[in-house]
Amino acid sequence: MSAVADAQAGALVSTDLAVGGMTCAACVGRVEKRLARIDGVTAGVNLATGRARVLHPAGVAVEELIAAVERAGYTAEPAGAGQVPADREEEPAQRWRLLVTALAAVPVVLLSMVPSLQFPAWQWICFGLAVPVVTWGSAGFHRRAVRGLRHGTATMDTLVSLGVVASFGWSAYALSFGGAGTIGMRMPFSLTADGGGGAHVYLEAAVGVPLFVLAGRLLEGRVRRRSGSALRALAELGAKEVCVRDPRSGLERSIPIEQLLPGREFVVRPGERVATDGVVVDGGSALDLSLLTGESAPVEVGPGDAVAGATVNVGGALVVRATAVGADTQLARITALVADAQAGKARAQRLADAVAGVFVPCVLAVAVAVLGFWLGAGADPQAAVTAAVAVLVVACPCALGLATPTALLAATGRGAELGVLVRGPEVLESLRRIDTVVLDKTGTLTTGRTELTDLTVVDGVDADEVLRLAGAVEHHSEHPVGRAVVAAARARCGSLPAVAGFTATTGVGVSGTVEGRPVRVVRPDDAAGPLPAALAGALTRAGAAGRTPVLVELDGRAVALLAVGDTLRSGSWRALHRLRALGLETVLLTGDGPGAARAVAGELGIEQVHFSASPARKAEVVTELRAAGRTTAVVGDGVNDAVALASADLGVALASGSDAAIGAAGLTLVRGDIEAVVDAVRLARRTLATIRVNLLWAFGYNVVLIPLAAVGLLNPMLAAVAMSLSSLLVVGNSLRLRTWQPGRGGGAARRRGGGTGPGRGPAARGRRTAPGVTG
């Protein structure tokens, strides 16, 4: 083999398989061990999603992986993007099997439990009704049990199959040779038979066990599919067809979405979904982003604005030029991230899987020991069989196997709906332990856009008139400060007048004549003369706040000082308030200078501030915090934050940030609102609490009921009911996460409204108010 071929064979790739036939955590262990027998292959199998995430050398074909799963006794096929596979046995077939089983089992149970309904030879009628239940109704249990036996393993189906066969076999023997006189549960410690001395039969257990297990699994499957509905909803959001427009002729036609190529223009009419990511080239509208980002308020878009596929057009018609299609779209990346998160395993799940791997063999050993004990103690043989059958039936590794993955499935799906993308289950575990949140400033706490924050004028000068004239001169400037002045002037004054004799001097400013009046917008250092006291004071305040000041001269006289700078995001103050309410310490870590950093920290109440930090210094600060025993989450959006994000216990990136930041982060905030960090922390804590309750129930259920069954205090049929309910309770408890609602802070945050601070200065006002005016 060549060196290139060797390198290709050694490269590791990830493949997802949809595995069918798994019913409990023991099945998960079998599939993982079988795949691990292939050299260089590691696998993680998720019972709740029916997925196997396989990491294997590039030289190992997918067909070889599928063959390995099939040798373990299960079915497998490549899993499509966003697919949440169900078991191969379709729900309609399960319903028919359950219906027939119920029609045959209910009369048997009633005749067994209600003596007034009994008639001569009723035992044989019950026996005849039990035959189809034990053979056809329970065929799936028997088939999977035999398959496991053939591969030298035991699963939940092994326990159910043995319980049904033992109950039915003993009843057949008692009816044929034992002079059966009744049907019912005998206590193992009753050493003599009842009055007539006839052997007991247990047909109600033989039909009741499969009835309740089938009903439980049907309900469990439905609930599990609801847990994964968020991922399927994401996968189904995309449009199936798109109306493309020929830019030359203007003609429109519909084509399948698969045929859309980047660069093509397509039309989005009111009420339709945007077919794919693109840029608006014509029209204006509002888009509902709630299904994709969790943002409830529609966002206005117009020519030049980027739009994401799967968002809903709730306004006018748009013409969009496609910029990304297929797997490159934002929707596809979100779907892939959610699928990755749901395919992983938390530490608690790995522990539960390890326990479940030895659980079934231990239960079989306990059942044999119970049977031998009661026979040795002189109990009736049928009573000893009944106790052993109850032990087999009541034992439930399903709850153990479902305790963690169903909670993670529901939580990651709910997080995606709220605009919080979790890279994997370990991220939720890290979030729960976080005690310090390190925040970048520009683009994270602030908008990252230069805007006019303050306008100070001298006495006798109209502020609106000065801003209008300054905006007219800056209209031809490409400088960020100039664009900020123009935007503020248009927002406040409307249209701007024409300028004549425009001149731009690098490092100084711009000048021109507007409506016959000479106007200069320059650096304060380049003023024509001394600054008036009002403007000098404004200059000092702007420097202390880290703003960029520019001077406006009208008719050769300094008349106004404009302060330009970054402004807080609308939800920053409320987010910091809620983080502190959760007991988390906040740290500001920015590359900006001390003035801007301290101004923002003061407005947000952040006490620990690190400014003028290079990317390397940011990573050092995070390392120092961790060395001091802090568990850190770093929130950032830029390339310069990537090293710090990777150095932290958990990196949190804004989806509007750089690819480097998103790639280094374990958590991505799709809606670009750092309040989502609070939602993520609270969701993680709720998820871990749900998992603890699930595991407590799963372990506690078996610890309590297996001994009760062993001493004969539990009828096998009631054991089947309890076993089914245990799994349903675990899955149902996890499903509560699907309706989890994020809080919105304490009363102080709500009273202030608008998501901003208490209005102590221009940074607090942010984008909520017009620029301040002082005289």
Side-chain angles (χ1 to χ4, degrees):
M1 182 181 290
S2 67
V4 174
D6 288 336
Q8 290 176 343
L12 293 178
V13 297
S14 178
T15 298
D16 283 358
L17 298 178
V19 181
M22 296 189 299
T23 57
C24 67
C27 301
V28 169
R30 285 179 58 191
V31 174
E32 290 179 342
K33 290 178 181 177
R34 179 65 67 170
L35 286 168
R37 291 181 185 178
I38 305 174
D39 290 339
V41 172
T42 57
V45 179
N46 191 311
L47 176 62
T49 62
R51 274 182 180 266
R53 171 63 56 82
V54 187
L55 193 64
H56 60 94
V60 177
V62 175
E63 291 74 15
E64 186 176 350
L65 301 176
I66 293 175
V69 175
E70 291 175 344
R71 284 195 297 272
Y74 302 92
T75 62
E77 62 183 2
Q83 177 186 359
V84 181
D87 196 279
R88 279 297 188 78
E89 188 174 10
E90 297 295 332
E91 186 175 312
Q94 290 179 317
R95 288 200 301 266
W96 274 110
R97 194 177 296 272
L98 175 61
L99 177 61
V100 173
T101 299
L103 290 175
V106 169
V108 176
V109 174
L110 289 176
L111 287 171
S112 304
M113 300 300 179
V114 185
S116 61
L117 297 178
Q118 296 172 359
F119 50 86
W122 64 272
Q123 298 99 325
W124 286 104
I125 300 295
C126 289
F127 182 82
L129 291 172
V131 170
V133 175
V134 173
T135 55
W136 182 77
S138 306
F141 305 124
H142 304 322
R143 184 171 59 252
R144 289 186 288 268
V146 171
R147 185 173 59 198
L149 181 62
R150 204 165 51 237
H151 292 90
T153 58
T155 67
M156 184 68 212
D157 294 297
T158 307
L159 302 181
V160 174
S161 178
L162 282 176
V164 172
V165 170
S167 300
F168 183 76
W170 176 264
S171 300
Y173 168 80
L175 282 172
S176 301
F177 307 106
T182 185
I183 294 180
M185 178 65 181
R186 285 290 315 275
M187 306 305 288
F189 45 78
S190 297
L191 301 180
T192 60
D194 287 342
H200 294 269
V201 295
Y202 298 95
L203 291 174
E204 83 280 10
V207 298
V209 168
L211 172 63
F212 291 116
V213 175
L214 285 172
R217 286 193 177 172
L218 181 64
L219 293 174
E220 177 189 311
R222 289 183 176 181
V223 175
R224 281 163 56 183
R225 282 189 287 276
R226 286 183 61 195
S227 298
S229 61
L231 181 55
R232 286 193 300 277
L234 280 173
E236 295 169 359
L237 277 179
K240 303 299 183 288
E241 289 192 345
V242 57
C243 180
V244 296
R245 189 186 74 164
D246 188 322
R248 292 186 297 271
S249 65
L251 296 178
E252 300 175 2
R253 63 188 180 93
S254 293
I255 63 173
I257 188 64
E258 295 80 8
Q259 297 180 12
L260 183 65
L261 298 175
R264 291 292 300 273
E265 294 182 358
F266 61 92
V267 178
V268 187
R269 297 182 178 87
E272 293 181 345
R273 292 190 185 277
V274 179
T276 191
D277 295 0
V279 176
V280 178
V281 296
D282 189 25
S285 183
L287 297 182
D288 180 358
L289 312 181
S290 58
L291 289 176
L292 192 61
T293 68
E295 183 67 53
S296 57
V299 175
E300 298 288 336
V301 295
D305 290 333
V307 296
T311 54
V312 180
N313 181 10
V314 296
L318 295 173
V319 178
V320 180
R321 181 184 299 110
T323 57
V325 296
D328 297 328
T329 64
Q330 184 178 350
L331 174 63
R333 291 195 297 270
I334 291 174
T335 303
L337 279 174
V338 177
D340 288 345
Q342 295 181 348
K345 284 192 178 185
R347 285 196 300 270
Q349 183 180 347
R350 291 191 288 269
L351 171 64
D353 288 349
V355 172
V358 298
F359 181 85
V360 174
C362 289
V363 170
L364 291 174
V366 170
V368 172
V370 167
L371 178 64
F373 172 81
W374 288 118
L375 288 176
D380 285 343
Q382 66 267 28
V385 170
T386 300
V389 169
V391 169
L392 291 173
V393 172
V394 79
C396 184
C398 295
L400 281 175
L402 293 170
T404 300
T406 52
L408 292 175
L409 190 68
T412 51
R414 181 59 178 150
E417 293 176 347
L418 296 172
V420 178
L421 298 183
V422 181
R423 191 176 292 276
E426 66 281 354
V427 171
L428 287 174
E429 294 174 329
S430 298
L431 269 171
R432 180 181 60 88
R433 301 192 303 270
I434 293 299
D435 55 34
T436 303
V437 180
V438 181
L439 298 137
D440 174 47
K441 183 184 82 70
T442 305
T444 302
L445 292 173
T446 64
T447 62
R449 295 187 297 272
T450 302
E451 299 178 3
L452 181 66
T453 58
D454 268 311
L455 167 58
T456 303
V457 298
V458 297
D459 290 338
V461 174
D462 182 78
D464 288 350
E465 178 68 8
V466 169
L467 184 60
R468 187 177 72 92
L469 296 175
V473 175
E474 290 282 14
H475 176 69
H476 296 287
S477 172
E478 294 298 324
H479 195 280
V481 172
R483 290 198 295 268
V485 173
V486 172
R490 283 177 171 166
R492 189 161 172 170
C493 308
S495 61
L496 301 178
V499 61
F502 172 79
T503 302
T505 304
T506 303
V508 177
V510 296
S511 62
T513 302
V514 183
E515 298 177 342
R517 306 180 69 181
V519 181
R520 291 180 75 220
V521 183
V522 296
R523 295 189 315 167
D525 293 344
D526 294 296
L531 295 182
L535 302 189
L539 178 61
T540 301
R541 291 193 299 273
R547 307 297 186 192
T548 300
V550 291
L551 187 69
V552 181
E553 292 181 348
L554 186 60
D555 299 323
R557 182 171 70 101
V559 296
L561 189 87
L562 310 179
V564 177
D566 201 0
T567 57
L568 287 180
R569 286 183 180 270
S570 61
S572 293
W573 190 89
R574 187 170 57 217
L576 270 293
H577 172 84
R578 294 179 64 201
L579 284 172
R580 286 190 285 269
L582 290 176
L584 303 177
E585 182 179 340
T586 55
V587 177
L588 181 61
L589 179 58
T590 177
D592 285 359
R598 287 174 177 151
V600 169
E603 292 299 330
L604 296 176
I606 301 175
E607 297 181 357
Q608 189 173 346
V609 183
H610 299 269
F611 51 82
S612 302
S614 65
R617 176 56 187 158
K618 289 185 176 183
E620 290 175 4
V621 171
V622 174
T623 302
E624 291 167 2
L625 288 170
R626 296 183 67 188
R630 313 296 294 182
T631 304
T632 60
V634 174
V635 186
D637 74 322
V639 174
N640 62 335
D641 300 318
V643 181
L645 290 168
S647 303
D649 295 285
L650 175 65
V652 182
L654 275 66
S656 57
S658 67
D659 290 341
I662 294 172
L667 194 74
T668 303
L669 309 181
V670 178
R671 70 178 190 246
D673 175 6
I674 65 167
E675 260 201 288
V677 176
V678 187
D679 297 340
V681 172
R682 294 185 63 244
L683 178 59
R685 291 181 178 182
R686 176 64 63 86
T687 302
L688 271 297
T690 299
I691 290 174
R692 284 195 295 268
V693 171
N694 286 350
L695 289 175
L696 179 64
W697 168 258
F699 281 108
Y701 160 86
N702 286 294
V703 168
V704 172
L705 292 189
I706 289 179
L708 290 179
V711 299
L713 296 178
L714 197 61
N715 182 285
M717 186 177 65
L718 296 180
V721 175
M723 186 268 289
S724 298
L725 287 177
S726 68
S727 294
L728 289 175
L729 285 173
V730 164
V731 179
N733 188 46
S734 298
L735 195 62
R736 294 166 56 210
L737 291 168
R738 290 283 294 115
T739 59
W740 180 83
Q741 294 294 332
R744 279 291 173 248
R750 286 194 294 269
R751 284 193 300 272
R752 289 182 173 94
T756 60
R760 294 189 298 268
R765 289 192 297 271
R767 303 176 63 194
R768 193 164 55 97
T769 62
V773 178
T774 59

